[in-house]
Amino acid sequence: MDRNDEQWGQGSKVWYAERECSLEAFSEQVERRENAPLAFADDVCESIPVYDCRKLAHAVADARQQRAALQGEWVRVLRDGAGVLVLKQAFTDTTPIDEATAVFESIIRSERASGAGAGDHFAQAGANDRIWNAQEKLCVQAPEVFARYFANPMLAAAAQAWLGPAWQMTSQVNVVRPGGAAQLAHRDYHLGFQTVEEAQRYPAHVHRMSAFLTLQGAVAHSDMPVESGPTKLLPYSQRYAEGYLAWRRPEFREYFEAHCVQLPLAKGDALFFNPALFHAAGANRTHPVTGVQRMANLLQVSSAFGRAMETLDRRRMCEAVFPVLKASHAARRMSACEIDAVIASCAEGYPFPTNLDRDPPSGGLAPRSQQTLLRQAIDEDWADTALRDALQNYDWRRRTTRDFT
Ligand SMILES: [Fe+2]
């Protein structure tokens, strides 16, 4: 095997086939435990690096070496190591979590009453509650809560570590009640949402690429003892290049059930993992009456270069959150870093695709992004109507015309 083969795995295959998936090759990858040294982790539990966020605040705030070194460690863990990491007390103050939980519970009640939001692709109806596009719903219904929640520098630092700048935050809330069943092992978006037949039509390098286009995360909105079913994880399973074709096979699912681990989480902890990691939500075995209503805000963060799974009206989100950010900036209630984190979790950070007839590159290689616009509006204390007009113009510049010449 030459160097190039080692990097890409399984020789120089261009196409993967489900029938060629090998449990032996998979287990060899999963059980190979060499790891890069961990300078920032506080602990390693069940092979998973655990970080104490109270000790990381300084490194995350350091715009230069420390932040880059920490993010480099996270990349190595997510790409080559366990494939998952835990950020203990990502929210040192859990007030924004409780505030968001109250908003989510009211959304669940109203969606249930209207008969909307019934679908969950994994659970039986009634066993779970799911809020799709929780990101836009929280932002529009409670922009102050949204701003306090996504001002969190740890979430932004993790997203940037894996995806670079201009990532696109989406989130889905999942509540699993006592008696809620476990999921089956799977991989996530993109290729994790394809049938085997569809996934086989993508060349091998795209199977590799899929994992680099998304970061999966979860914020615990309740304490999650193991009996309440925190996510079952198989550390190192993202290493197996053919895994998007393998996860439905019975022998792989059996191996997963025999070797997966679960870590208890406390409210305010966050978990981030490579979307190629084999994982499954656990069963909630707590008491039917007094047990844990396990609520997680599942963060699905997309690369600027990929397509997110959900449609969000980010213009509407920018309009909703702008007065809050403007007031927080004026009163110095939020630091520049916190405001940047909210902007990044709300506005579109990547200026393409656009209509270059209407939106030619000016003063650089790329047109301005929606994030740049929102930041300028905050810095220059624009009126709400000025931002609304600018966002309308931003959208107009991105539409094609019918009268091509
Ligand atoms: Fe998943």
Side-chain angles (χ1 to χ4, degrees), residues 42-85:
D42 206 50
D43 200 0
V44 176
C45 297
E46 305 277 18
S47 305
I48 299 172
V50 177
Y51 293 84
D52 180 346
C53 290
R54 290 168 305 180
K55 299 179 186 169
L56 297 183
H58 181 72
V60 166
D62 174 10
R64 290 155 300 145
Q65 285 110 341
Q66 285 291 297
R67 183 181 171 95
L70 172 64
Q71 290 179 317
E73 182 170 315
W74 287 347
V75 167
R76 284 188 289 275
V77 169
L78 294 169
R79 189 187 59 196
D80 313 314
V84 49
L85 53 90

Short mmCIF file of all heavy atoms in Angstrom, two decimals, residues 42-85:
data_model
loop_
_atom_site.label_atom_id
_atom_site.label_comp_id
_atom_site.label_asym_id
_atom_site.label_seq_id
_atom_site.Cartn_x
_atom_site.Cartn_y
_atom_site.Cartn_z
N ASP A 42 -9.56 17.24 29.49
CA ASP A 42 -9.51 17.10 30.93
C ASP A 42 -9.50 15.63 31.34
O ASP A 42 -8.99 15.26 32.39
CB ASP A 42 -10.74 17.79 31.52
CG ASP A 42 -10.52 18.27 32.92
OD1 ASP A 42 -9.50 18.95 33.14
OD2 ASP A 42 -11.34 17.95 33.80
N ASP A 43 -10.10 14.81 30.49
CA ASP A 43 -10.30 13.40 30.83
C ASP A 43 -10.57 12.63 29.54
O ASP A 43 -10.88 13.24 28.50
CB ASP A 43 -11.52 13.29 31.77
CG ASP A 43 -11.53 11.99 32.57
OD1 ASP A 43 -10.60 11.19 32.40
OD2 ASP A 43 -12.48 11.80 33.34
N VAL A 44 -10.47 11.33 29.61
CA VAL A 44 -10.92 10.47 28.50
C VAL A 44 -11.82 9.41 29.12
O VAL A 44 -11.39 8.64 29.97
CB VAL A 44 -9.73 9.80 27.77
CG1 VAL A 44 -10.24 8.86 26.69
CG2 VAL A 44 -8.82 10.86 27.14
N CYS A 45 -13.11 9.41 28.73
CA CYS A 45 -14.07 8.46 29.28
C CYS A 45 -14.58 7.57 28.16
O CYS A 45 -15.05 8.09 27.15
CB CYS A 45 -15.26 9.18 29.90
SG CYS A 45 -14.82 10.23 31.27
N GLU A 46 -14.49 6.27 28.34
CA GLU A 46 -14.95 5.32 27.31
C GLU A 46 -14.32 5.67 25.96
O GLU A 46 -15.00 5.65 24.93
CB GLU A 46 -16.48 5.33 27.19
CG GLU A 46 -17.23 5.07 28.49
CD GLU A 46 -17.36 3.57 28.78
OE1 GLU A 46 -16.60 2.78 28.20
OE2 GLU A 46 -18.21 3.22 29.62
N SER A 47 -13.04 6.03 25.98
CA SER A 47 -12.26 6.41 24.78
C SER A 47 -12.60 7.79 24.23
O SER A 47 -12.04 8.21 23.22
CB SER A 47 -12.45 5.41 23.62
OG SER A 47 -12.15 4.11 24.02
N ILE A 48 -13.53 8.51 24.85
CA ILE A 48 -13.97 9.81 24.31
C ILE A 48 -13.32 10.96 25.09
O ILE A 48 -13.47 11.05 26.32
CB ILE A 48 -15.51 9.94 24.41
CG1 ILE A 48 -16.17 8.84 23.57
CG2 ILE A 48 -15.98 11.32 23.97
CD1 ILE A 48 -17.67 8.74 23.74
N PRO A 49 -12.58 11.85 24.40
CA PRO A 49 -12.00 13.00 25.10
C PRO A 49 -13.09 13.92 25.66
O PRO A 49 -14.06 14.23 24.98
CB PRO A 49 -11.20 13.71 24.00
CG PRO A 49 -10.94 12.66 22.97
CD PRO A 49 -12.15 11.77 23.00
N VAL A 50 -12.89 14.32 26.90
CA VAL A 50 -13.86 15.18 27.59
C VAL A 50 -13.14 16.48 27.96
O VAL A 50 -12.06 16.45 28.55
CB VAL A 50 -14.39 14.48 28.86
CG1 VAL A 50 -15.34 15.40 29.63
CG2 VAL A 50 -15.10 13.17 28.49
N TYR A 51 -13.76 17.60 27.59
CA TYR A 51 -13.15 18.91 27.83
C TYR A 51 -13.96 19.67 28.87
O TYR A 51 -15.18 19.71 28.80
CB TYR A 51 -13.10 19.71 26.51
CG TYR A 51 -12.17 19.09 25.50
CD1 TYR A 51 -12.60 18.05 24.68
CD2 TYR A 51 -10.85 19.53 25.39
CE1 TYR A 51 -11.73 17.46 23.77
CE2 TYR A 51 -9.99 18.94 24.48
CZ TYR A 51 -10.43 17.91 23.67
OH TYR A 51 -9.57 17.32 22.78
N ASP A 52 -13.26 20.28 29.79
CA ASP A 52 -13.91 21.13 30.79
C ASP A 52 -13.87 22.56 30.27
O ASP A 52 -12.81 23.19 30.23
CB ASP A 52 -13.13 21.02 32.12
CG ASP A 52 -13.76 21.89 33.21
OD1 ASP A 52 -14.60 22.74 32.89
OD2 ASP A 52 -13.38 21.70 34.39
N CYS A 53 -15.03 23.06 29.85
CA CYS A 53 -15.06 24.35 29.16
C CYS A 53 -14.64 25.52 30.04
O CYS A 53 -14.21 26.55 29.53
CB CYS A 53 -16.44 24.60 28.55
SG CYS A 53 -16.76 23.48 27.17
N ARG A 54 -14.76 25.34 31.36
CA ARG A 54 -14.32 26.44 32.23
C ARG A 54 -12.83 26.67 32.07
O ARG A 54 -12.33 27.78 32.23
CB ARG A 54 -14.64 26.11 33.69
CG ARG A 54 -16.13 26.14 34.01
CD ARG A 54 -16.41 25.53 35.35
NE ARG A 54 -15.85 24.18 35.43
CZ ARG A 54 -15.94 23.40 36.51
NH1 ARG A 54 -16.56 23.82 37.58
NH2 ARG A 54 -15.42 22.18 36.50
N LYS A 55 -12.10 25.60 31.72
CA LYS A 55 -10.65 25.73 31.55
C LYS A 55 -10.26 26.13 30.13
O LYS A 55 -9.08 26.34 29.86
CB LYS A 55 -9.97 24.41 31.91
CG LYS A 55 -10.20 23.98 33.35
CD LYS A 55 -9.50 22.65 33.61
CE LYS A 55 -9.85 22.12 35.00
NZ LYS A 55 -9.41 20.72 35.17
N LEU A 56 -11.24 26.16 29.22
CA LEU A 56 -10.92 26.44 27.81
C LEU A 56 -11.24 27.87 27.40
O LEU A 56 -10.89 28.28 26.30
CB LEU A 56 -11.71 25.51 26.89
CG LEU A 56 -11.44 24.02 27.00
CD1 LEU A 56 -12.28 23.28 25.96
CD2 LEU A 56 -9.97 23.71 26.79
N ALA A 57 -11.91 28.61 28.30
CA ALA A 57 -12.38 29.95 27.92
C ALA A 57 -11.23 30.81 27.41
O ALA A 57 -11.35 31.52 26.40
CB ALA A 57 -13.09 30.61 29.10
N HIS A 58 -10.10 30.73 28.08
CA HIS A 58 -8.96 31.56 27.70
C HIS A 58 -8.46 31.18 26.31
O HIS A 58 -8.20 32.05 25.47
CB HIS A 58 -7.84 31.41 28.74
CG HIS A 58 -6.64 32.24 28.44
ND1 HIS A 58 -6.65 33.63 28.59
CD2 HIS A 58 -5.42 31.91 27.96
CE1 HIS A 58 -5.47 34.09 28.22
NE2 HIS A 58 -4.70 33.07 27.84
N ALA A 59 -8.34 29.89 26.06
CA ALA A 59 -7.84 29.43 24.75
C ALA A 59 -8.81 29.82 23.64
O ALA A 59 -8.39 30.26 22.56
CB ALA A 59 -7.64 27.92 24.77
N VAL A 60 -10.12 29.69 23.88
CA VAL A 60 -11.10 30.02 22.84
C VAL A 60 -11.08 31.51 22.53
O VAL A 60 -11.25 31.93 21.39
CB VAL A 60 -12.52 29.55 23.28
CG1 VAL A 60 -13.61 30.17 22.42
CG2 VAL A 60 -12.60 28.03 23.20
N ALA A 61 -10.83 32.33 23.57
CA ALA A 61 -10.82 33.79 23.38
C ALA A 61 -9.53 34.28 22.73
O ALA A 61 -9.48 35.40 22.21
CB ALA A 61 -11.03 34.49 24.72
N ASP A 62 -8.50 33.46 22.73
CA ASP A 62 -7.21 33.86 22.15
C ASP A 62 -7.29 33.72 20.63
O ASP A 62 -7.37 32.61 20.11
CB ASP A 62 -6.09 32.95 22.71
CG ASP A 62 -4.75 33.23 22.04
OD1 ASP A 62 -4.65 34.22 21.31
OD2 ASP A 62 -3.82 32.43 22.26
N ALA A 63 -7.30 34.86 19.95
CA ALA A 63 -7.51 34.83 18.49
C ALA A 63 -6.35 34.16 17.76
O ALA A 63 -6.48 33.84 16.59
CB ALA A 63 -7.71 36.25 17.98
N ARG A 64 -5.25 33.95 18.44
CA ARG A 64 -4.09 33.44 17.70
C ARG A 64 -3.76 32.00 18.06
O ARG A 64 -4.56 31.11 17.84
CB ARG A 64 -2.89 34.36 17.91
CG ARG A 64 -3.07 35.72 17.22
CD ARG A 64 -2.27 36.80 17.87
NE ARG A 64 -2.65 36.98 19.25
CZ ARG A 64 -1.83 37.30 20.23
NH1 ARG A 64 -0.57 37.46 19.99
NH2 ARG A 64 -2.28 37.47 21.47
N GLN A 65 -2.62 31.75 18.70
CA GLN A 65 -2.13 30.37 18.81
C GLN A 65 -3.01 29.42 19.60
O GLN A 65 -3.24 28.30 19.17
CB GLN A 65 -0.72 30.36 19.42
CG GLN A 65 0.35 30.81 18.46
CD GLN A 65 0.91 32.15 18.86
OE1 GLN A 65 0.28 32.89 19.62
NE2 GLN A 65 2.10 32.46 18.37
N GLN A 66 -3.47 29.84 20.77
CA GLN A 66 -4.16 28.90 21.66
C GLN A 66 -5.44 28.37 21.03
O GLN A 66 -5.73 27.18 21.09
CB GLN A 66 -4.48 29.58 23.00
CG GLN A 66 -3.29 29.75 23.89
CD GLN A 66 -2.80 28.38 24.41
OE1 GLN A 66 -3.51 27.70 25.12
NE2 GLN A 66 -1.60 28.00 24.03
N ARG A 67 -6.21 29.27 20.43
CA ARG A 67 -7.46 28.85 19.79
C ARG A 67 -7.17 27.88 18.64
O ARG A 67 -7.82 26.84 18.51
CB ARG A 67 -8.21 30.09 19.28
CG ARG A 67 -9.56 29.79 18.66
CD ARG A 67 -10.21 31.09 18.17
NE ARG A 67 -11.41 30.84 17.38
CZ ARG A 67 -12.65 30.84 17.88
NH1 ARG A 67 -12.85 31.09 19.15
NH2 ARG A 67 -13.68 30.61 17.09
N ALA A 68 -6.18 28.22 17.83
CA ALA A 68 -5.84 27.35 16.69
C ALA A 68 -5.33 26.00 17.18
O ALA A 68 -5.64 24.96 16.59
CB ALA A 68 -4.79 28.04 15.82
N ALA A 69 -4.58 26.00 18.28
CA ALA A 69 -4.06 24.73 18.81
C ALA A 69 -5.20 23.87 19.34
O ALA A 69 -5.25 22.65 19.11
CB ALA A 69 -3.04 25.02 19.92
N LEU A 70 -6.13 24.49 20.07
CA LEU A 70 -7.29 23.76 20.59
C LEU A 70 -8.13 23.19 19.44
O LEU A 70 -8.51 22.01 19.44
CB LEU A 70 -8.14 24.69 21.46
CG LEU A 70 -9.49 24.13 21.93
CD1 LEU A 70 -9.28 22.93 22.86
CD2 LEU A 70 -10.30 25.22 22.64
N GLN A 71 -8.39 24.04 18.45
CA GLN A 71 -9.21 23.58 17.32
C GLN A 71 -8.49 22.48 16.54
O GLN A 71 -9.12 21.55 16.04
CB GLN A 71 -9.57 24.75 16.41
CG GLN A 71 -10.56 25.71 17.07
CD GLN A 71 -10.91 26.89 16.20
OE1 GLN A 71 -10.03 27.48 15.57
NE2 GLN A 71 -12.17 27.26 16.17
N GLY A 72 -7.15 22.58 16.47
CA GLY A 72 -6.38 21.53 15.81
C GLY A 72 -6.54 20.20 16.54
O GLY A 72 -6.67 19.14 15.92
N GLU A 73 -6.55 20.26 17.86
CA GLU A 73 -6.75 19.04 18.65
C GLU A 73 -8.14 18.44 18.38
O GLU A 73 -8.30 17.24 18.20
CB GLU A 73 -6.56 19.34 20.14
CG GLU A 73 -6.71 18.10 21.02
CD GLU A 73 -6.29 18.36 22.46
OE1 GLU A 73 -5.23 18.98 22.67
OE2 GLU A 73 -7.04 17.94 23.37
N TRP A 74 -9.15 19.32 18.35
CA TRP A 74 -10.52 18.84 18.07
C TRP A 74 -10.61 18.19 16.69
O TRP A 74 -11.25 17.16 16.51
CB TRP A 74 -11.52 20.00 18.16
CG TRP A 74 -11.79 20.45 19.57
CD1 TRP A 74 -11.44 19.79 20.72
CD2 TRP A 74 -12.46 21.65 19.99
NE1 TRP A 74 -11.85 20.51 21.82
CE2 TRP A 74 -12.49 21.64 21.41
CE3 TRP A 74 -13.04 22.72 19.32
CZ2 TRP A 74 -13.07 22.67 22.16
CZ3 TRP A 74 -13.62 23.74 20.05
CH2 TRP A 74 -13.64 23.71 21.45
N VAL A 75 -9.94 18.81 15.70
CA VAL A 75 -9.97 18.24 14.34
C VAL A 75 -9.35 16.85 14.34
O VAL A 75 -9.91 15.90 13.75
CB VAL A 75 -9.22 19.16 13.34
CG1 VAL A 75 -8.97 18.44 12.02
CG2 VAL A 75 -10.01 20.44 13.10
N ARG A 76 -8.24 16.69 15.02
CA ARG A 76 -7.59 15.37 15.04
C ARG A 76 -8.47 14.33 15.72
O ARG A 76 -8.56 13.19 15.29
CB ARG A 76 -6.20 15.46 15.68
CG ARG A 76 -5.16 16.08 14.75
CD ARG A 76 -3.75 15.98 15.32
NE ARG A 76 -3.56 16.88 16.46
CZ ARG A 76 -3.22 18.17 16.35
NH1 ARG A 76 -3.01 18.70 15.16
NH2 ARG A 76 -3.08 18.91 17.41
N VAL A 77 -9.13 14.74 16.80
CA VAL A 77 -10.05 13.82 17.50
C VAL A 77 -11.20 13.43 16.57
O VAL A 77 -11.54 12.25 16.42
CB VAL A 77 -10.60 14.46 18.79
CG1 VAL A 77 -11.74 13.62 19.37
CG2 VAL A 77 -9.49 14.63 19.82
N LEU A 78 -11.80 14.43 15.92
CA LEU A 78 -12.99 14.17 15.10
C LEU A 78 -12.66 13.41 13.82
O LEU A 78 -13.44 12.59 13.35
CB LEU A 78 -13.69 15.49 14.74
CG LEU A 78 -14.30 16.25 15.92
CD1 LEU A 78 -14.72 17.67 15.50
CD2 LEU A 78 -15.52 15.51 16.49
N ARG A 79 -11.49 13.67 13.26
CA ARG A 79 -11.13 13.07 11.97
C ARG A 79 -10.49 11.70 12.13
O ARG A 79 -10.92 10.73 11.51
CB ARG A 79 -10.17 14.02 11.23
CG ARG A 79 -9.86 13.65 9.80
CD ARG A 79 -8.79 14.56 9.23
NE ARG A 79 -7.56 14.48 10.03
CZ ARG A 79 -6.55 15.36 9.97
NH1 ARG A 79 -6.64 16.41 9.18
NH2 ARG A 79 -5.48 15.21 10.73
N ASP A 80 -9.47 11.61 12.99
CA ASP A 80 -8.66 10.39 13.06
C ASP A 80 -8.83 9.65 14.38
O ASP A 80 -8.51 8.46 14.47
CB ASP A 80 -7.16 10.72 12.94
CG ASP A 80 -6.89 11.67 11.80
OD1 ASP A 80 -7.44 11.44 10.71
OD2 ASP A 80 -6.14 12.65 12.00
N GLY A 81 -9.24 10.36 15.43
CA GLY A 81 -9.32 9.76 16.76
C GLY A 81 -10.69 9.18 17.04
O GLY A 81 -11.28 8.51 16.17
N ALA A 82 -11.20 9.44 18.23
CA ALA A 82 -12.47 8.83 18.64
C ALA A 82 -13.63 9.24 17.74
O ALA A 82 -14.63 8.53 17.67
CB ALA A 82 -12.78 9.20 20.09
N GLY A 83 -13.51 10.39 17.08
CA GLY A 83 -14.60 10.84 16.20
C GLY A 83 -15.68 11.59 16.96
O GLY A 83 -16.67 12.02 16.37
N VAL A 84 -15.50 11.74 18.26
CA VAL A 84 -16.51 12.40 19.10
C VAL A 84 -15.80 13.03 20.29
O VAL A 84 -14.79 12.50 20.78
CB VAL A 84 -17.58 11.39 19.56
CG1 VAL A 84 -16.99 10.12 20.13
CG2 VAL A 84 -18.57 12.01 20.55
N LEU A 85 -16.32 14.16 20.75
CA LEU A 85 -15.76 14.80 21.94
C LEU A 85 -16.90 15.42 22.75
O LEU A 85 -17.96 15.77 22.19
CB LEU A 85 -14.70 15.83 21.57
CG LEU A 85 -15.05 16.92 20.56
CD1 LEU A 85 -15.63 18.15 21.26
CD2 LEU A 85 -13.80 17.32 19.79
#
